[in-house]
Amino acid sequence: MRKLKKILIPVLAVAVVAGTYAGTRVLGGNLRSEHGYPVSAPANWGLSFQQEGQVPIGNASVSELSRYKAYYCADARKKEIYLTFDAGFENGCTEQILDVLKKEKVPAAFFLVGTYIEKNPELVKRMVKEGHIVGNHTWSHPDMSAISDKDSFSQELKRVEDIYRTVTGNEMKKYYRPPQGKFSFDNLAMARELGYTTVFWSLAYVDWLEDAQPSREEALEKLLPRTHNGAIILLHSTSKTNAAVLDELIQNWKSEGYKFKSVTELKPLS
Protein backbone atom coordinates (compact mmCIF):
# COMPACT_ATOMS: atom_id res chain seq x y z
CA MET A 1 0.00 0.00 0.00
CA ARG A 2 1.23 3.47 -0.79
CA LYS A 3 2.01 5.98 1.93
CA LEU A 4 -0.38 8.87 2.54
CA LYS A 5 0.49 12.43 3.45
CA LYS A 6 -0.18 13.33 7.04
CA ILE A 7 -3.66 14.84 7.13
CA LEU A 8 -5.16 17.08 9.79
CA ILE A 9 -8.89 16.72 10.16
CA PRO A 10 -10.55 18.90 12.77
CA VAL A 11 -14.43 18.81 12.80
CA LEU A 12 -16.74 21.42 11.30
CA ALA A 13 -13.89 23.40 9.92
CA VAL A 14 -12.51 20.01 8.87
CA ALA A 15 -9.87 21.68 6.78
CA VAL A 16 -7.71 19.04 5.14
CA VAL A 17 -4.18 20.36 5.22
CA ALA A 18 -0.94 18.57 4.43
CA GLY A 19 1.46 18.69 7.34
CA THR A 20 1.55 17.85 11.01
CA TYR A 21 -1.02 18.68 13.65
CA ALA A 22 -2.09 22.31 13.75
CA GLY A 23 -3.88 21.82 17.06
CA THR A 24 -2.07 22.00 20.39
CA ARG A 25 -1.09 18.57 21.68
CA VAL A 26 -3.26 17.74 24.66
CA LEU A 27 -1.18 16.54 27.56
CA GLY A 28 -2.17 15.59 31.05
CA GLY A 29 -0.27 16.96 34.00
CA ASN A 30 -0.21 17.31 37.76
CA LEU A 31 -1.85 20.74 37.80
CA ARG A 32 -5.51 20.80 38.79
CA SER A 33 -8.22 23.29 37.94
CA GLU A 34 -10.30 24.92 40.67
CA HIS A 35 -12.92 22.21 40.05
CA GLY A 36 -10.37 19.43 40.52
CA TYR A 37 -9.95 18.53 36.86
CA PRO A 38 -6.50 18.01 35.32
CA VAL A 39 -5.33 21.13 33.52
CA SER A 40 -4.64 20.59 29.81
CA ALA A 41 -4.24 22.80 26.77
CA PRO A 42 -7.27 23.06 24.47
CA ALA A 43 -6.88 21.30 21.14
CA ASN A 44 -8.61 20.70 17.85
CA TRP A 45 -9.16 17.02 17.22
CA GLY A 46 -6.74 16.01 14.45
CA LEU A 47 -5.69 12.89 12.60
CA SER A 48 -2.50 11.85 10.86
CA PHE A 49 -3.07 9.26 8.12
CA GLN A 50 0.08 7.20 7.71
CA GLN A 51 -1.16 4.45 5.40
CA GLU A 52 -4.28 3.57 3.46
CA GLY A 53 -6.61 1.20 5.27
CA GLN A 54 -4.90 1.68 8.64
CA VAL A 55 -6.13 3.46 11.78
CA PRO A 56 -4.81 7.06 11.73
CA ILE A 57 -2.93 8.54 14.67
CA GLY A 58 -5.01 10.93 16.74
CA ASN A 59 -3.65 13.88 18.69
CA ALA A 60 -4.75 12.08 21.83
CA SER A 61 -4.15 8.36 22.08
CA VAL A 62 -6.68 5.58 22.59
CA SER A 63 -5.35 5.02 26.11
CA GLU A 64 -5.48 8.72 27.00
CA LEU A 65 -9.06 9.01 25.77
CA SER A 66 -10.19 5.79 27.45
CA ARG A 67 -9.60 7.35 30.89
CA TYR A 68 -12.39 9.78 30.06
CA LYS A 69 -14.80 7.32 28.40
CA ALA A 70 -13.93 8.81 25.02
CA TYR A 71 -13.26 7.17 21.66
CA TYR A 72 -11.99 8.06 18.23
CA CYS A 73 -11.88 4.52 16.86
CA ALA A 74 -12.93 1.04 17.89
CA ASP A 75 -11.15 -2.31 17.81
CA ALA A 76 -8.77 -2.37 14.83
CA ARG A 77 -8.85 -6.18 14.88
CA LYS A 78 -12.49 -6.17 13.80
CA LYS A 79 -13.86 -5.26 10.38
CA GLU A 80 -16.49 -2.92 11.78
CA ILE A 81 -17.67 0.60 11.01
CA TYR A 82 -19.50 3.10 13.23
CA LEU A 83 -21.36 5.58 11.01
CA THR A 84 -22.09 9.01 12.51
CA PHE A 85 -23.57 12.27 11.23
CA ASP A 86 -23.32 15.82 12.57
CA ALA A 87 -26.01 18.45 11.99
CA GLY A 88 -26.47 22.03 13.11
CA PHE A 89 -29.42 22.70 10.79
CA GLU A 90 -31.66 20.95 8.28
CA ASN A 91 -31.49 21.59 4.55
CA GLY A 92 -33.55 18.73 3.14
CA CYS A 93 -30.94 15.95 2.93
CA THR A 94 -31.75 13.96 6.06
CA GLU A 95 -34.83 12.15 4.76
CA GLN A 96 -32.85 10.70 1.87
CA ILE A 97 -30.07 9.66 4.27
CA LEU A 98 -32.59 7.98 6.57
CA ASP A 99 -34.18 6.21 3.59
CA VAL A 100 -30.81 4.72 2.61
CA LEU A 101 -29.99 3.67 6.17
CA LYS A 102 -33.39 1.99 6.48
CA LYS A 103 -33.03 0.17 3.15
CA GLU A 104 -29.54 -1.05 3.98
CA LYS A 105 -30.38 -1.81 7.65
CA VAL A 106 -27.45 0.32 8.87
CA PRO A 107 -27.51 1.92 12.34
CA ALA A 108 -26.14 5.44 12.72
CA ALA A 109 -25.67 8.15 15.32
CA PHE A 110 -26.87 11.69 14.59
CA PHE A 111 -25.09 14.30 16.73
CA LEU A 112 -27.53 17.22 16.79
CA VAL A 113 -27.52 20.69 18.28
CA GLY A 114 -30.49 21.63 20.44
CA THR A 115 -32.04 24.00 17.92
CA TYR A 116 -32.08 21.24 15.30
CA ILE A 117 -34.14 19.03 17.61
CA GLU A 118 -36.42 21.95 18.43
CA LYS A 119 -37.06 22.83 14.75
CA ASN A 120 -37.18 19.31 13.28
CA PRO A 121 -39.14 17.16 15.74
CA GLU A 122 -40.55 14.77 13.12
CA LEU A 123 -37.12 13.94 11.72
CA VAL A 124 -35.77 13.38 15.22
CA LYS A 125 -38.68 11.10 16.08
CA ARG A 126 -38.04 9.16 12.87
CA MET A 127 -34.37 8.73 13.80
CA VAL A 128 -35.39 7.27 17.15
CA LYS A 129 -38.15 5.08 15.70
CA GLU A 130 -35.75 3.57 13.17
CA GLY A 131 -33.19 2.67 15.81
CA HIS A 132 -30.61 5.40 15.42
CA ILE A 133 -28.88 7.18 18.29
CA VAL A 134 -29.47 10.91 18.67
CA GLY A 135 -26.31 12.26 20.25
CA ASN A 136 -25.62 15.55 22.01
CA HIS A 137 -23.78 18.18 19.95
CA THR A 138 -24.56 20.92 22.54
CA TRP A 139 -27.28 23.54 22.45
CA SER A 140 -25.49 26.39 20.69
CA HIS A 141 -22.37 24.80 19.17
CA PRO A 142 -19.79 26.80 21.17
CA ASP A 143 -16.10 26.14 21.64
CA MET A 144 -16.53 23.86 24.64
CA SER A 145 -12.79 23.85 25.36
CA ALA A 146 -13.14 27.54 26.29
CA ILE A 147 -15.69 26.68 29.02
CA SER A 148 -13.97 25.92 32.32
CA ASP A 149 -17.02 26.27 34.55
CA LYS A 150 -18.76 22.93 35.07
CA ASP A 151 -22.22 24.47 35.45
CA SER A 152 -21.91 26.30 32.11
CA PHE A 153 -20.55 23.17 30.45
CA SER A 154 -23.38 21.10 31.89
CA GLN A 155 -26.04 23.58 30.77
CA GLU A 156 -25.01 23.24 27.12
CA LEU A 157 -25.71 19.51 27.32
CA LYS A 158 -28.72 19.54 29.63
CA ARG A 159 -30.69 21.96 27.43
CA VAL A 160 -30.37 19.44 24.60
CA GLU A 161 -31.50 16.64 26.90
CA ASP A 162 -34.56 18.70 27.86
CA ILE A 163 -35.69 19.42 24.29
CA TYR A 164 -35.05 15.81 23.30
CA ARG A 165 -37.28 14.65 26.18
CA THR A 166 -39.99 17.11 25.14
CA VAL A 167 -39.91 15.98 21.49
CA THR A 168 -39.56 12.22 21.94
CA GLY A 169 -40.87 11.51 25.44
CA ASN A 170 -37.65 9.60 26.10
CA GLU A 171 -34.45 10.24 28.01
CA MET A 172 -31.50 11.01 25.76
CA LYS A 173 -28.79 8.37 25.49
CA LYS A 174 -25.62 10.07 26.64
CA TYR A 175 -23.28 10.30 23.67
CA TYR A 176 -21.48 13.60 23.11
CA ARG A 177 -19.46 15.08 20.27
CA PRO A 178 -17.57 18.34 20.94
CA PRO A 179 -18.44 21.07 18.40
CA GLN A 180 -15.64 21.54 15.86
CA GLY A 181 -13.74 18.82 17.69
CA LYS A 182 -12.44 21.38 20.18
CA PHE A 183 -11.67 19.80 23.54
CA SER A 184 -9.45 19.51 26.56
CA PHE A 185 -9.10 16.73 29.11
CA ASP A 186 -10.89 19.02 31.57
CA ASN A 187 -13.92 18.95 29.26
CA LEU A 188 -13.70 15.19 28.79
CA ALA A 189 -13.67 14.73 32.56
CA MET A 190 -16.75 16.93 32.96
CA ALA A 191 -18.58 15.03 30.21
CA ARG A 192 -17.71 11.73 31.87
CA GLU A 193 -18.99 12.95 35.24
CA LEU A 194 -22.26 13.88 33.53
CA GLY A 195 -22.54 10.29 32.31
CA TYR A 196 -21.48 10.94 28.72
CA THR A 197 -19.39 8.93 26.32
CA THR A 198 -17.44 11.31 24.07
CA VAL A 199 -17.26 10.22 20.43
CA PHE A 200 -14.62 11.74 18.15
CA TRP A 201 -13.91 10.14 14.76
CA SER A 202 -11.17 8.46 12.73
CA LEU A 203 -12.39 9.35 9.24
CA ALA A 204 -13.99 12.50 7.81
CA TYR A 205 -13.63 14.82 4.85
CA VAL A 206 -14.56 18.35 3.78
CA ASP A 207 -18.28 17.84 3.15
CA TRP A 208 -20.02 20.70 4.99
CA LEU A 209 -19.53 23.66 2.65
CA GLU A 210 -22.92 24.12 1.02
CA ASP A 211 -21.59 26.20 -1.87
CA ALA A 212 -18.57 23.97 -2.53
CA GLN A 213 -19.84 20.42 -2.30
CA PRO A 214 -17.41 17.69 -3.35
CA SER A 215 -18.22 15.63 -6.41
CA ARG A 216 -19.21 11.98 -6.20
CA GLU A 217 -15.71 11.02 -7.32
CA GLU A 218 -14.05 13.24 -4.73
CA ALA A 219 -16.19 11.82 -1.93
CA LEU A 220 -15.42 8.22 -2.85
CA GLU A 221 -11.72 8.98 -3.32
CA LYS A 222 -11.45 10.67 0.08
CA LEU A 223 -13.40 8.08 2.07
CA LEU A 224 -13.00 4.60 0.64
CA PRO A 225 -9.17 4.26 0.60
CA ARG A 226 -8.91 5.52 4.20
CA THR A 227 -11.62 3.26 5.60
CA HIS A 228 -10.16 0.98 8.25
CA ASN A 229 -11.17 -1.57 10.88
CA GLY A 230 -12.96 0.04 13.81
CA ALA A 231 -13.55 3.28 11.91
CA ILE A 232 -15.79 5.92 13.46
CA ILE A 233 -16.86 7.83 10.37
CA LEU A 234 -18.08 11.43 10.53
CA LEU A 235 -20.29 12.76 7.74
CA HIS A 236 -22.46 15.86 7.74
CA SER A 237 -26.12 15.25 7.03
CA THR A 238 -26.33 18.70 5.44
CA SER A 239 -24.18 17.49 2.54
CA LYS A 240 -26.05 16.90 -0.72
CA THR A 241 -23.11 14.83 -1.90
CA ASN A 242 -23.32 12.57 1.15
CA ALA A 243 -27.04 12.04 0.58
CA ALA A 244 -26.39 11.18 -3.06
CA VAL A 245 -23.45 8.79 -2.52
CA LEU A 246 -24.37 7.18 0.80
CA ASP A 247 -25.96 4.12 -0.81
CA GLU A 248 -22.88 3.60 -2.97
CA LEU A 249 -20.56 4.07 0.01
CA ILE A 250 -22.45 1.53 2.09
CA GLN A 251 -22.50 -0.95 -0.77
CA ASN A 252 -18.73 -0.57 -1.18
CA TRP A 253 -18.11 -1.01 2.54
CA LYS A 254 -20.33 -4.08 2.65
CA SER A 255 -18.53 -5.58 -0.36
CA GLU A 256 -15.26 -5.15 1.55
CA GLY A 257 -16.71 -7.18 4.42
CA TYR A 258 -17.40 -4.38 6.88
CA LYS A 259 -20.19 -4.75 9.45
CA PHE A 260 -22.02 -1.70 10.77
CA LYS A 261 -22.25 -1.15 14.51
CA SER A 262 -24.02 1.33 16.76
CA VAL A 263 -22.02 3.66 19.02
CA THR A 264 -23.81 1.91 21.89
CA GLU A 265 -21.45 -1.01 21.20
CA LEU A 266 -18.27 1.01 21.73
CA LYS A 267 -16.27 -0.43 24.60
CA PRO A 268 -12.74 -0.16 25.99
CA LEU A 269 -10.16 -2.19 24.12
CA SER A 270 -8.96 -5.24 26.00
Side-chain angles (χ1 to χ4, degrees), residues 117 136 139 155 157-172 196:
I117 298 173
N136 200 322
W139 181 264
Q155 189 64 17
L157 300 180
K158 286 182 181 285
R159 287 187 70 188
V160 181
E161 295 171 18
D162 291 343
I163 191 62
Y164 179 86
R165 187 184 306 110
T166 297
V167 166
T168 68
N170 301 321
E171 293 299 320
M172 190 174 215
Y196 277 90

Side-chain angles (χ1 to χ4, degrees), residues 6-7 21 25 45-51 54-61 72 202:
K6 291 184 179 180
I7 303 292
Y21 304 126
R25 177 77 167 107
W45 179 245
L47 296 168
S48 174
F49 285 86
Q50 304 290 315
Q51 192 173 25
Q54 299 298 314
V55 178
I57 298 171
N59 60 342
S61 70
Y72 84 93
S202 60

Side-chain angles (χ1 to χ4, degrees), residues 76-87:
R77 297 168 297 182
K78 297 180 179 179
K79 212 166 179 64
E80 297 173 347
I81 285 174
Y82 297 75
L83 190 57
T84 72
F85 295 87
D86 284 4

